[in-house]
Amino acid sequence: MSSGKRRLLQVAAVVGLLGVVLSTPAGADARDISRDTLAADDGWAAAEGSTTGGAAADDAHVFTVRSRAELVRALDGGSATPKIIKIAGTIDANTDDDGHHLDCDDYATDGYSLKKYLAAYDPRTWGSAKPSGAQEEARQASAARQAARVELPVGPHTTIVGLGSGAVLKGASLQVKNADNVIVRNLELRDAYDCFPVWQPNTGGLGDWKTSYDTLWLSGATHVWVDHITASDKGHPDAGEPTYFGRNYLRHDGLLDITTGSDLVTVSWSRFADHDKAMLIGNSDAATGDRGRLRVTLHHNEFEGVVQRAPRVRFGQVHVYDNRYVVPADSEYRYSLGVSTESAVYAENNAFTTPSHVEVADLVKSWNGTALHQTGTLFNGFPVDLLAIYNAYNSGSERDLTADVGWTPTLHGTIDSARQADRDVQRGAGAGRVR
């Protein structure tokens, strides 16, 4: 071999090695976080026991998954066997058993089509009755086919973590139902897209489109730690959807909903972005069985481009501290903190950055709420008394909120100033940023 060819091969080898290094996901060589457990003082999920997820799993129940089929096998139907599931790369829930992508047309059955559905239930001819008949039955059958693919049950004593900085679960609805001791970390949850929204004529008096599939849904779940996730509608923003019957044809439900008696939950260092209704804690004013439950801590999270529900709370004792809220100039913003029936929100040192048309009083919305504790609020760089401004602005139209929510949080780490938290969360929240 000539010396020239040898030099070319050496250069090629170096370039190839460099390519491997550059293509390795950031954080791929970071410490293994899969057996991490929640710190003893880290919010409500540390109360009344501990949150360890699948830390006790034996080696036979530690899985690395790269496809929907592998993920389904690892989840084992939501079994209670301790398990650790590591997600590598991007997994698309809308795939068949052979890994081929499924779109909405693949799920449609029994003669369903959006065109026929719109013609059948146009309020001008159908009226205000609930949809029924052939097209609604076909929609339900089609929706069931999609649900069978995208709804993924998470059982007790389970840890789900993303590997490196590029782990994505797309199109799925992770569902923690009646399960205790679950950890979800370092994972991007993206675009839980509903192919078959249902028309509800009487919602809000105008009618509206109702969708299924939260990207992560806790229902009757206890001791759950959600950390360093990124949740969004990335790929199919609802703002880009058309209008039917005068209402936006919504395709997404919540990013993280905590309902139906769920309790002892900590959500930390996560990012919720570019979405309408981000987080619902307590799903109904009539669900009086939620009293004494729905205890949730939200700290060091970023809500950017979120229109509402960050969070909206019923019944629960919810500690909201050191979070960062960013409202884009073109956002159809409604509110951030929703104070609803018997809620007890204790908000400390949260930072809000908004455009000029959003005022301090807009940050809060009340539905039958009576109390909101808040201190240390930062609004566009200035300290404000959020409660006093809200009450003054809404005096005469809504009842004043008191500052006494009936409890004081004790399970938390150091609570930084809102200014410090704003900087730290901007740098550290979301998937791929676990330290």
PDB file of all heavy atoms in Angstrom, residues 3-25:
ATOM      1  N   SER A   3       2.182   5.119   0.626  1.00  0.00           N
ATOM      2  CA  SER A   3       2.079   5.979   1.816  1.00  0.00           C
ATOM      3  C   SER A   3       0.914   6.946   1.681  1.00  0.00           C
ATOM      4  O   SER A   3       0.258   7.295   2.671  1.00  0.00           O
ATOM      5  CB  SER A   3       3.387   6.763   2.010  1.00  0.00           C
ATOM      6  OG  SER A   3       3.650   7.574   0.852  1.00  0.00           O
ATOM      7  N   GLY A   4       0.571   7.367   0.433  1.00  0.00           N
ATOM      8  CA  GLY A   4      -0.561   8.279   0.232  1.00  0.00           C
ATOM      9  C   GLY A   4      -1.875   7.618   0.600  1.00  0.00           C
ATOM     10  O   GLY A   4      -2.724   8.206   1.270  1.00  0.00           O
ATOM     11  N   LYS A   5      -2.060   6.353   0.137  1.00  0.00           N
ATOM     12  CA  LYS A   5      -3.298   5.631   0.472  1.00  0.00           C
ATOM     13  C   LYS A   5      -3.392   5.382   1.970  1.00  0.00           C
ATOM     14  O   LYS A   5      -4.467   5.451   2.566  1.00  0.00           O
ATOM     15  CB  LYS A   5      -3.352   4.311  -0.277  1.00  0.00           C
ATOM     16  CG  LYS A   5      -3.618   4.476  -1.771  1.00  0.00           C
ATOM     17  CD  LYS A   5      -3.737   3.126  -2.441  1.00  0.00           C
ATOM     18  CE  LYS A   5      -4.058   3.274  -3.929  1.00  0.00           C
ATOM     19  NZ  LYS A   5      -4.166   1.962  -4.585  1.00  0.00           N
ATOM     20  N   ARG A   6      -2.201   5.081   2.606  1.00  0.00           N
ATOM     21  CA  ARG A   6      -2.217   4.823   4.046  1.00  0.00           C
ATOM     22  C   ARG A   6      -2.661   6.062   4.808  1.00  0.00           C
ATOM     23  O   ARG A   6      -3.448   5.984   5.756  1.00  0.00           O
ATOM     24  CB  ARG A   6      -0.820   4.382   4.497  1.00  0.00           C
ATOM     25  CG  ARG A   6      -0.784   3.937   5.957  1.00  0.00           C
ATOM     26  CD  ARG A   6       0.595   3.428   6.347  1.00  0.00           C
ATOM     27  NE  ARG A   6       0.936   2.219   5.621  1.00  0.00           N
ATOM     28  CZ  ARG A   6       1.842   2.157   4.663  1.00  0.00           C
ATOM     29  NH1 ARG A   6       2.522   3.247   4.293  1.00  0.00           N
ATOM     30  NH2 ARG A   6       2.094   1.010   4.039  1.00  0.00           N
ATOM     31  N   ARG A   7      -2.168   7.220   4.370  1.00  0.00           N
ATOM     32  CA  ARG A   7      -2.557   8.465   5.043  1.00  0.00           C
ATOM     33  C   ARG A   7      -4.048   8.732   4.864  1.00  0.00           C
ATOM     34  O   ARG A   7      -4.729   9.179   5.791  1.00  0.00           O
ATOM     35  CB  ARG A   7      -1.733   9.645   4.496  1.00  0.00           C
ATOM     36  CG  ARG A   7      -0.325   9.702   5.054  1.00  0.00           C
ATOM     37  CD  ARG A   7       0.315  11.043   4.773  1.00  0.00           C
ATOM     38  NE  ARG A   7       0.460  11.308   3.352  1.00  0.00           N
ATOM     39  CZ  ARG A   7       1.498  10.911   2.614  1.00  0.00           C
ATOM     40  NH1 ARG A   7       2.491  10.237   3.184  1.00  0.00           N
ATOM     41  NH2 ARG A   7       1.559  11.181   1.324  1.00  0.00           N
ATOM     42  N   LEU A   8      -4.596   8.442   3.674  1.00  0.00           N
ATOM     43  CA  LEU A   8      -6.025   8.649   3.438  1.00  0.00           C
ATOM     44  C   LEU A   8      -6.867   7.756   4.336  1.00  0.00           C
ATOM     45  O   LEU A   8      -7.895   8.162   4.888  1.00  0.00           O
ATOM     46  CB  LEU A   8      -6.359   8.382   1.970  1.00  0.00           C
ATOM     47  CG  LEU A   8      -5.926   9.461   0.970  1.00  0.00           C
ATOM     48  CD1 LEU A   8      -6.195   8.986  -0.462  1.00  0.00           C
ATOM     49  CD2 LEU A   8      -6.674  10.768   1.236  1.00  0.00           C
ATOM     50  N   LEU A   9      -6.418   6.481   4.514  1.00  0.00           N
ATOM     51  CA  LEU A   9      -7.148   5.572   5.384  1.00  0.00           C
ATOM     52  C   LEU A   9      -7.104   6.030   6.831  1.00  0.00           C
ATOM     53  O   LEU A   9      -8.078   5.919   7.582  1.00  0.00           O
ATOM     54  CB  LEU A   9      -6.582   4.157   5.263  1.00  0.00           C
ATOM     55  CG  LEU A   9      -6.895   3.435   3.943  1.00  0.00           C
ATOM     56  CD1 LEU A   9      -6.147   2.097   3.889  1.00  0.00           C
ATOM     57  CD2 LEU A   9      -8.392   3.206   3.805  1.00  0.00           C
ATOM     58  N   GLN A  10      -5.932   6.557   7.262  1.00  0.00           N
ATOM     59  CA  GLN A  10      -5.820   7.048   8.627  1.00  0.00           C
ATOM     60  C   GLN A  10      -6.743   8.232   8.870  1.00  0.00           C
ATOM     61  O   GLN A  10      -7.406   8.324   9.903  1.00  0.00           O
ATOM     62  CB  GLN A  10      -4.362   7.438   8.913  1.00  0.00           C
ATOM     63  CG  GLN A  10      -3.422   6.234   8.993  1.00  0.00           C
ATOM     64  CD  GLN A  10      -1.965   6.657   9.050  1.00  0.00           C
ATOM     65  OE1 GLN A  10      -1.614   7.786   8.668  1.00  0.00           O
ATOM     66  NE2 GLN A  10      -1.102   5.763   9.517  1.00  0.00           N
ATOM     67  N   VAL A  11      -6.784   9.143   7.891  1.00  0.00           N
ATOM     68  CA  VAL A  11      -7.664  10.306   8.009  1.00  0.00           C
ATOM     69  C   VAL A  11      -9.122   9.858   8.064  1.00  0.00           C
ATOM     70  O   VAL A  11      -9.925  10.337   8.863  1.00  0.00           O
ATOM     71  CB  VAL A  11      -7.444  11.272   6.833  1.00  0.00           C
ATOM     72  CG1 VAL A  11      -8.534  12.356   6.826  1.00  0.00           C
ATOM     73  CG2 VAL A  11      -6.069  11.917   6.937  1.00  0.00           C
ATOM     74  N   ALA A  12      -9.475   8.884   7.189  1.00  0.00           N
ATOM     75  CA  ALA A  12     -10.852   8.386   7.165  1.00  0.00           C
ATOM     76  C   ALA A  12     -11.223   7.756   8.509  1.00  0.00           C
ATOM     77  O   ALA A  12     -12.343   7.909   8.998  1.00  0.00           O
ATOM     78  CB  ALA A  12     -11.023   7.368   6.042  1.00  0.00           C
ATOM     79  N   ALA A  13     -10.273   7.018   9.099  1.00  0.00           N
ATOM     80  CA  ALA A  13     -10.552   6.388  10.381  1.00  0.00           C
ATOM     81  C   ALA A  13     -10.800   7.427  11.469  1.00  0.00           C
ATOM     82  O   ALA A  13     -11.706   7.290  12.294  1.00  0.00           O
ATOM     83  CB  ALA A  13      -9.389   5.477  10.785  1.00  0.00           C
ATOM     84  N   VAL A  14      -9.982   8.496  11.463  1.00  0.00           N
ATOM     85  CA  VAL A  14     -10.150   9.557  12.457  1.00  0.00           C
ATOM     86  C   VAL A  14     -11.488  10.249  12.266  1.00  0.00           C
ATOM     87  O   VAL A  14     -12.231  10.497  13.222  1.00  0.00           O
ATOM     88  CB  VAL A  14      -8.996  10.578  12.357  1.00  0.00           C
ATOM     89  CG1 VAL A  14      -9.298  11.796  13.233  1.00  0.00           C
ATOM     90  CG2 VAL A  14      -7.693   9.933  12.791  1.00  0.00           C
ATOM     91  N   VAL A  15     -11.836  10.552  10.997  1.00  0.00           N
ATOM     92  CA  VAL A  15     -13.106  11.209  10.718  1.00  0.00           C
ATOM     93  C   VAL A  15     -14.268  10.324  11.143  1.00  0.00           C
ATOM     94  O   VAL A  15     -15.257  10.777  11.724  1.00  0.00           O
ATOM     95  CB  VAL A  15     -13.216  11.568   9.221  1.00  0.00           C
ATOM     96  CG1 VAL A  15     -14.630  12.050   8.885  1.00  0.00           C
ATOM     97  CG2 VAL A  15     -12.205  12.637   8.864  1.00  0.00           C
ATOM     98  N   GLY A  16     -14.160   9.011  10.849  1.00  0.00           N
ATOM     99  CA  GLY A  16     -15.221   8.096  11.244  1.00  0.00           C
ATOM    100  C   GLY A  16     -15.391   8.043  12.745  1.00  0.00           C
ATOM    101  O   GLY A  16     -16.508   8.048  13.262  1.00  0.00           O
ATOM    102  N   LEU A  17     -14.253   7.992  13.483  1.00  0.00           N
ATOM    103  CA  LEU A  17     -14.332   7.982  14.938  1.00  0.00           C
ATOM    104  C   LEU A  17     -14.947   9.261  15.455  1.00  0.00           C
ATOM    105  O   LEU A  17     -15.787   9.255  16.365  1.00  0.00           O
ATOM    106  CB  LEU A  17     -12.924   7.785  15.522  1.00  0.00           C
ATOM    107  CG  LEU A  17     -12.827   7.805  17.065  1.00  0.00           C
ATOM    108  CD1 LEU A  17     -13.672   6.673  17.628  1.00  0.00           C
ATOM    109  CD2 LEU A  17     -11.368   7.666  17.501  1.00  0.00           C
ATOM    110  N   LEU A  18     -14.561  10.401  14.855  1.00  0.00           N
ATOM    111  CA  LEU A  18     -15.129  11.681  15.253  1.00  0.00           C
ATOM    112  C   LEU A  18     -16.627  11.693  15.017  1.00  0.00           C
ATOM    113  O   LEU A  18     -17.411  12.185  15.839  1.00  0.00           O
ATOM    114  CB  LEU A  18     -14.462  12.818  14.472  1.00  0.00           C
ATOM    115  CG  LEU A  18     -14.955  14.253  14.802  1.00  0.00           C
ATOM    116  CD1 LEU A  18     -14.733  14.563  16.272  1.00  0.00           C
ATOM    117  CD2 LEU A  18     -14.245  15.266  13.910  1.00  0.00           C
ATOM    118  N   GLY A  19     -17.055  11.104  13.880  1.00  0.00           N
ATOM    119  CA  GLY A  19     -18.484  11.042  13.592  1.00  0.00           C
ATOM    120  C   GLY A  19     -19.241  10.257  14.631  1.00  0.00           C
ATOM    121  O   GLY A  19     -20.334  10.623  15.038  1.00  0.00           O
ATOM    122  N   VAL A  20     -18.634   9.141  15.089  1.00  0.00           N
ATOM    123  CA  VAL A  20     -19.275   8.353  16.136  1.00  0.00           C
ATOM    124  C   VAL A  20     -19.417   9.167  17.401  1.00  0.00           C
ATOM    125  O   VAL A  20     -20.459   9.185  18.060  1.00  0.00           O
ATOM    126  CB  VAL A  20     -18.472   7.064  16.406  1.00  0.00           C
ATOM    127  CG1 VAL A  20     -18.992   6.370  17.662  1.00  0.00           C
ATOM    128  CG2 VAL A  20     -18.552   6.138  15.201  1.00  0.00           C
ATOM    129  N   VAL A  21     -18.348   9.896  17.764  1.00  0.00           N
ATOM    130  CA  VAL A  21     -18.389  10.701  18.982  1.00  0.00           C
ATOM    131  C   VAL A  21     -19.451  11.779  18.876  1.00  0.00           C
ATOM    132  O   VAL A  21     -20.239  12.005  19.793  1.00  0.00           O
ATOM    133  CB  VAL A  21     -16.998  11.327  19.246  1.00  0.00           C
ATOM    134  CG1 VAL A  21     -17.085  12.331  20.391  1.00  0.00           C
ATOM    135  CG2 VAL A  21     -15.975  10.245  19.554  1.00  0.00           C
ATOM    136  N   LEU A  22     -19.478  12.471  17.704  1.00  0.00           N
ATOM    137  CA  LEU A  22     -20.415  13.563  17.543  1.00  0.00           C
ATOM    138  C   LEU A  22     -21.855  13.083  17.487  1.00  0.00           C
ATOM    139  O   LEU A  22     -22.768  13.811  17.854  1.00  0.00           O
ATOM    140  CB  LEU A  22     -20.091  14.350  16.263  1.00  0.00           C
ATOM    141  CG  LEU A  22     -18.779  15.152  16.295  1.00  0.00           C
ATOM    142  CD1 LEU A  22     -18.554  15.810  14.953  1.00  0.00           C
ATOM    143  CD2 LEU A  22     -18.788  16.182  17.417  1.00  0.00           C
ATOM    144  N   SER A  23     -22.067  11.837  17.025  1.00  0.00           N
ATOM    145  CA  SER A  23     -23.432  11.349  16.901  1.00  0.00           C
ATOM    146  C   SER A  23     -23.944  10.694  18.175  1.00  0.00           C
ATOM    147  O   SER A  23     -25.102  10.338  18.271  1.00  0.00           O
ATOM    148  CB  SER A  23     -23.538  10.339  15.751  1.00  0.00           C
ATOM    149  OG  SER A  23     -22.765   9.192  16.035  1.00  0.00           O
ATOM    150  N   THR A  24     -23.064  10.513  19.177  1.00  0.00           N
ATOM    151  CA  THR A  24     -23.502   9.918  20.428  1.00  0.00           C
ATOM    152  C   THR A  24     -24.368  10.909  21.174  1.00  0.00           C
ATOM    153  O   THR A  24     -23.976  12.051  21.360  1.00  0.00           O
ATOM    154  CB  THR A  24     -22.279   9.549  21.292  1.00  0.00           C
ATOM    155  OG1 THR A  24     -21.476   8.623  20.570  1.00  0.00           O
ATOM    156  CG2 THR A  24     -22.726   8.926  22.605  1.00  0.00           C
ATOM    157  N   PRO A  25     -25.563  10.533  21.578  1.00  0.00           N
ATOM    158  CA  PRO A  25     -26.449  11.469  22.265  1.00  0.00           C
ATOM    159  C   PRO A  25     -25.804  12.055  23.510  1.00  0.00           C
ATOM    160  O   PRO A  25     -25.115  11.358  24.259  1.00  0.00           O
ATOM    161  CB  PRO A  25     -27.672  10.610  22.648  1.00  0.00           C
ATOM    162  CG  PRO A  25     -27.625   9.442  21.726  1.00  0.00           C
ATOM    163  CD  PRO A  25     -26.169   9.200  21.459  1.00  0.00           C
TER     164      PRO A  25
END
